[in-house]
Amino acid sequence: HLCLYISQSTFAISSFRFMATNDLMMELQKDSIKLDEDSEKKVVKMLLKLLEDKNGEVQNLAVKCLGPLVGKVKEYQVETIVDTLCTNMLSDKEQLWDISSIGLKTVISELPPASTGSAMTANVCKKITAQLTGAIGKQEDVSVQLEALDILSDMLSRLGGTLYSFHSSILNCLLPQLTSPRLAVRKRAIIALGHLVLTCSGNIFSELTEHLLAELKRNESTSTTRTYIQCVAGISRQAGHRIGEHLEKIIPLIVRYCNVEDDELREYCFQAFESFVRRIFICRDRCPKEIDPHIPNVMELCLKYITFDPNYNYDNEEEEEEEMMETENGEDEEQESDDEYSDDDDISWKVRRSAAKCLEAIVSSRHDLLQDFYKTLSPVLISRFKEREENVRADIFSAYISLLKQTLPIQSWLHASDASGKDDVPLTMLQKQVPNIVKALHKQLKEKSIKSRQGCFSLLTELANVLPGCLADHIPALVPGIVFSLADKSSSSNMRIDTLSFLHVLLCNHQPEVFHPHIKSLLPPVVTCIGDPFYKITSEALLVTQQLVKVIRPLGKSCTFDAKPYVKDLFPGTLKRLKAADIDQEVKERAISCMGQIICNLGDHLSTDLQPTLKIFLERLKNEITRLTTVKALTLIASSPLKINLRPILGEGFPILASFLRKNQRALKLSTLTALDILVKNYSDSLQPAMIESVLTELPALITENDMHVSQVAIMFLTTLAKVYPSCISKISGSVLAEIFQLVHSPLLQGGALNAIIDFFQALVLTKTTTMGYSELMKQLTAPIYSSGSAEASVMLHKQAYYSVAKCVAALSSACPKEVPAIVNQFVQDVKNPKSSSAVKVLAFLSLAEMGRTMNLSAQRELKTVILEAFSSPSEEVKSAASYALGNISVGNLKEYLPFMLKEIGSQPKRQYLLLHSLKEVISSSPANGLKPYVEDIWALLFKHCECTEEGTRNVVAECLGKLTLVNPSELLPRLKKQLSSGSPHARSTVVTAIKFTIADQPQPIDALLKGCIGDFLKTLQDPDLNVRRVALAMFNSAAHNKPSLIRDLLNAVLPSLYNETNVRRELIREVEMGPFKHTVDDGLDVRKAAFECMYTLLESCLDRLDIYEYLNHVEDGLKDHYDIRMLTFIMLARLSTLCPSAVLQRLERLIEPLRATCSTKVKAGSVKQEFEKQDELKRSAMRAVAALLTIPEVEKSPAMAEFSSQIRSNPEMASLFESIQKDSASLPASESMDMS
C-alpha cells in the first residue's frame, strides 16, 4: 500500500512523500514484516526513485530505509540496489554522488559478515569492488574518487577476507593514487591500503612493500616521498607483525630521509619509526631480531631532533621567559604569510613532537634498556622541559612519565621474592637526576598555561611514586607552585584535582618533618577546597586533609611541631561537610574518615567540640549508606594513643555494632569485629556485662567453615575477651564452643584460622573456668576419635582434622605444663593397647609429635620402642604418623634422638623409608645451629642411599640432601656439584632433585651460590638417561616458577635442550601385548610433559627472554601430540593470546588446524565411557583456546578464523559447547578464566 501511496498523485507534495517514506521505514524496522516478490520489486524500485528526489529530507529518509531493507529482500534485489547506486555515483549528475555514496556505505554496513557463510555478501562485494576500482582508476572527478576510496576502505575493513580474489586488482588500482596531485586522495589511498594488508596474502603484501621500497629509493620528489613514508607507517600501524621481515630494508631508507632539510618529511619519518616500534612490540610481543639492531640508531636521531629548534635561541631564556609566556599561544597549524618570515611558518615543532612520541614508544616497549635510557635519554628529556611549544612539551612530559613507569619496581609475588640487585641501578641513576628535574619544572608550576602545569604535576606524581622520599629536599621549591594552582582563580577544576592528588602522593611518600615549615602556607588553600561547590574537588581535598592531619601530628614518634594553632582551620571545614546530609556519597565517606583521623590525632585539642562530633558519628552509624565507613573511623579513634573519651556513645553504640554481626555484608562483619576487638582492649572499664553478652550471642553464627576468614577474626575477638574479661567467659554458651570444635574437626582448617583457635584454647585454659578446664577441653577435642568403638564415627574425620586436633592438644599442654607427663603417658598406653583403633594411634603419635617439637619428652623411656614397634603396624596411616612423631620428638631433643635415628637407618633396611621420612622432619624443623654438629654424619649416611633403586626412597633422600644443604651452603653445594659426574644415573637424578629442594620462593643465603652453579646442574638436561632429564626439567620448572632470576641469563643455553625434549621420540614408543590386545606405551611421555610444563612456566616469568616464534613452533607440535600434552598446549595457547596476540595472529592458520581437528573428532561408537569423557574434556579445552583466540583484536579479519567460526556456528554440537565455554568465562574473573582446565 505504501509503495502505491508514494507513487500515486501525492507524489507532487513533498511532505506527503516524506511521511509515506517515514512510515515505510518504521514498517521495515519491524522483524515481523515479510515481503513477497512483487512487493520487494516495488519497494526497491520506489526507494531507488526516491533517492533521486528533489527534496533532501526525503532523500535522507530513503537512504535510511536501505539498511533494514538489505536483510529483508532477496539477493538479486540487493544486487539491483548496489548496481543502481554505483551507476548513480559514477554518473554525470553531481547531485546524486553524495546520496549514492551514503547509500552504498549503508548497504555495506548491513551486509551479514562473511563468517555467517552468506553467499550474498561475497557477490555484492564483488559487484561493488569492480565498479569502484574502475572509478578510482579513471581519475576524472576528485570528489567521486574520494568517495570511492572511502567506500573501498569501509569494505576492506569489514569484509576484507571476502574480497580475496580482488586483492590484486585493488592493489593495482590503489598504488597509482599515491602519486595523485591531490593530497586528500593520497591520504585515503593510504587508509585503504592499511585495511588491505590485514587480510591480503603474503605475495600481495610483498608486492606492496617491494613497490614502496622501490619508490622510496627513486625519490622522485619530496612530496611523493612523504606520501610513501606515510604509507609505510600506515601499513605498520595496521599490520605491524607482517612488516617485521622487511624492516631491514625500510629503516635505512627512512634514516636517510631524516637528514633531508624538510621538516614535514622528518615528521613523517619519526611517525614511521614510532609505528614500527609500537606495532612490533604490541602487548609485550617481541620480534627482537627485526627491530633490535635499529633501536640505537633511531634513538640517536630522536635525541638529535627533539632539540631541533633552528629559529629560536634558548640561551637568554631567563630574561625573556616572562614575555615569552605572554606571547605564546601554541600555534597548531601552518599558516602562510606573505611578508618576512614569521613564527607561524616555523613547523620545526612538528619534528620535535614526532621525535618525542617516537622516544615514548621506545621507552615503553624496551624495559631491558632502562640503564641506557637513564644514561643518554633522561638528561636530554630533562633539558627539553623548557620547550616553548605547549603541545611538544606535553609529549616530552609524556615520554618522561613513560620512562618513570618503566622504572617502577614490579610489585608481584614473582619478583618480590626475587629482587636482584640489578633492578636498583636505574633507581640510583634517577635519584641523581631528581635535582635537575625539579629545577626544570618548579618555575613552570606558576605558568599561566594549565596544560603545562598539569603535565608537571603528572610527572612529579609519577616521580614520587617511583622513588618515595626523593623530593624531600625540594619541598620548598614545590610548595609555592602547589599553593598557586590551588588558589589561582583561573585554574580549572581538573587542574585543582590534579594538584590535590599530587599533594596527596607527596604527603604519603615523604617524612612528616619535611612539611612542617610549610603547613602554614599549605593548609589554608586545601581547607578552601573542602568548601568548593564541585564534589570531586571537595572529596580530593578531604583525602589530602586526612593525610595532612597525620603529618601535623604523627602519633608514632615524638614531634616538636605544635599542631594546636591549625586545629581551628582544619576542624570547622571538615565538620561542615560531616554534618551535611545532602552531599555526594564519596564526600560523605571521606568526611567521616577525615574527621575520624582528626579526632584520632588531635582529639585532645578539640575540648568541647569532641562530644557533639561523636554524636554525629553515632547518627552515621545508624545509616545503612555510611555505617561501614563509620565503623572504620571508630576503630581508628578507639586505637588512638590519646585515649579519646568514647564512653558517652558506647552505651548506645555497642548494641548497634552487635547488630551488624548478623547483617549479610561481609566487609561490615569483618570491620565490626575489628572495632569490637579494639574497644574491648582499650575501653574494658566502660563496658557493662550486658553489652558484652549482646555481642556474644551473635558469635556462634559467625564461626563456620564456609568462611574461614570471618571465623578467624571472630575467634581472635573471643581470645581478647578471654584475656580481658575472664569472668564473662563462663557465659560463653556451649554453642560457641561447639562451633569451634566443629571447625577443629573440619578438613578445611589450616593456617591463620587454626592458629587463632590454638591461641583461643590457650587463653581459655588460663581463665581457670571450671567448666572449661584442661581435661574437659581435651575430652571434647578428642571425643570423635576415641568414640570410634564403632568404626563409623572415626571415618567421618578427614586426615587434616587429626593434625588440627594434635596441634590443639600440644597447645593446651604447653599452657598447662603440669598435665604433660600424664597426657604423654596416656598416649603411650593408647599406642601400646592392642585394642586401640588405628585412628586413636594416629592421633596419639601426631599429638606426641606436636608436643615433642617444643618440649623434651626424654623422661618417657618407652617412646623409642613404642615408635619402632609401630613401624611394623599393618596400617599405613599409623606407620606414617609414627615416622612423623619420631622426627618431631627428635627436634625437641637432638642430642639423644638423632644419633639413635642415624644408627637405625644404617641397621634397619626394612624400615629405611619411614626412618628417612623422620630424618626429613628433623632437617626441615630444626634450627641450623642445632644441626651443624651432625651434618657430616647425616651427609655420609644420605649418600649411601642416593643410589637406591626405589624411586620413593631416592626422592626422600634428595629432599633431605637439599634441605641439609641449606644449613651450610658454601661447603655442601660444591659437594653436590661434584656428584654430577657420578657414573650412576640414580645418583645424578638424586642430586638434581636435591637442588630442586634448595630453591624456595623466599630470598635465602644460598641464592647467590646457586646462581653461580645452577648452569652446571642444568647441563643434566642433556643427560643420556631419560629419568635424569625428567628430574632436571622438574628442577628447571621449580627455578623458573619460584626464582626466575636464577635462570634468566642462562636461557639462551638451556632453551635448545628444553625444546629438544618436546619432540616425540619414536625409539621410546613400544608395543605391549596384553592378552589378545596390543597396547602402545610411550616412555618419553613424562619427559615431554615436563618440558611443556616448563614452557608454560616460562611464559609467566621470563616472557621477555623468549623468541616467541621459536616457542610457537613447539606449541604447534604439542597441539598434535598425546592427550595430556594437548591439554597443556591448549592452556598455553589461551595464555599466549593474551600475552603476545600479534605473534599468534601471524601463525593463526597453522594453529587453527589442530584445534579444528580436535573439535570435530568423533569417538568410535563402541568405546568405553572414559574414552568419551576424555574426548569431551579435550574438546572443552580446545574450545577454551578458540574462545581466547577470538579475544585478539583483528582476529576476525583472518580468513582461516572466519571460516572456523562459521563451522562452529553451523555445527549444533560445537555451537552449544562454545556457548557454554563463553558463559563459564563470563562468570569468572578475567585472571582465572584461563587456567580452568
Side-chain angles (χ1 to χ4, degrees), residues 277-468:
V277 175
R278 277 203 197 284
R279 272 309 298 203
I280 290 181
F281 284 92
I282 199 148
C283 282
R284 296 164 56 190
D285 184 0
R286 308 181 68 241
C287 320
K289 296 178 188 144
E290 290 150 359
I291 191 103
D292 259 16
H294 307 290
I295 290 276
N297 218 342
V298 172
M299 251 180 74
E300 197 180 317
L301 280 168
C302 289
L303 292 173
K304 174 179 169 189
Y305 282 104
I306 200 169
T307 58
F308 171 71
D309 199 355
N311 308 311
Y312 188 77
N313 183 4
Y314 283 92
D315 293 344
N316 48 1
E317 188 167 33
E318 300 305 315
E319 306 88 76
E320 285 183 22
E321 201 169 54
E322 293 309 309
E323 308 155 44
M324 231 230 29
M325 293 311 154
E326 299 301 315
T327 56
E328 185 73 64
N329 290 321
E331 300 83 11
D332 220 71
E333 286 305 312
E334 255 177 281
Q335 291 157 0
E336 297 303 319
S337 151
D338 299 334
D339 44 58
E340 87 292 339
Y341 180 85
S342 88
D343 211 17
D344 296 349
D345 297 333
D346 175 17
I347 58 162
S348 64
W349 65 273
K350 289 187 172 180
V351 179
R352 298 197 299 280
R353 184 178 66 179
S354 53
K357 284 188 163 166
C358 184
L359 279 176
E360 184 184 351
I362 294 174
V363 166
S364 52
S365 56
R366 292 309 299 265
H367 187 78
D368 49 326
L369 297 176
L370 259 185
Q371 292 193 30
D372 297 352
F373 292 155
Y374 275 108
K375 225 176 275 160
T376 52
L377 188 144
S378 175
V380 177
L381 283 178
I382 294 172
S383 71
R384 289 305 304 167
F385 288 168
K386 63 186 177 193
E387 166 66 54
R388 64 201 175 97
E389 253 317 323
E390 190 176 74
N391 292 323
V392 184
R393 197 181 323 151
D395 284 313
I396 290 172
F397 284 158
S398 176
Y400 205 84
I401 289 170
S402 277
L403 178 61
L404 291 171
K405 283 188 170 143
Q406 287 291 318
T407 319
L408 197 62
I410 300 169
Q411 297 297 332
S412 76
W413 64 270
L414 196 64
H415 296 80
S417 59
D418 195 18
S420 52
K422 193 182 75 177
D423 296 349
D424 304 340
V425 181
L427 288 173
T428 321
M429 296 166 90
L430 171 60
Q431 182 77 55
K432 290 181 183 144
Q433 294 177 15
V434 170
N436 298 346
I437 295 176
V438 176
K439 188 178 170 197
L441 291 182
H442 78 94
K443 281 197 183 115
Q444 293 190 31
L445 290 177
K446 286 188 151 185
E447 272 184 17
K448 272 209 178 109
S449 155
I450 286 184
K451 194 171 178 186
S452 287
R453 280 187 284 163
Q454 279 181 308
C456 292
F457 280 129
S458 303
L459 196 152
L460 288 166
T461 306
E462 203 59 52
L463 181 62
N465 279 325
V466 174
L467 263 185

Side-chain angles (χ1 to χ4, degrees), residues 1195-1231:
V1195 75
E1196 68 283 353
K1197 295 187 177 144
S1198 142
M1201 194 70 199
E1203 189 193 335
F1204 187 27
S1205 295
S1206 68
Q1207 187 184 338
I1208 291 175
R1209 270 196 290 270
S1210 57
N1211 176 328
E1213 188 193 337
M1214 282 200 215
S1216 69
L1217 180 60
F1218 184 67
E1219 272 171 37
S1220 76
I1221 294 288
Q1222 285 199 309
K1223 275 184 198 145
D1224 288 354
S1225 58
S1227 62
L1228 279 168
S1231 57

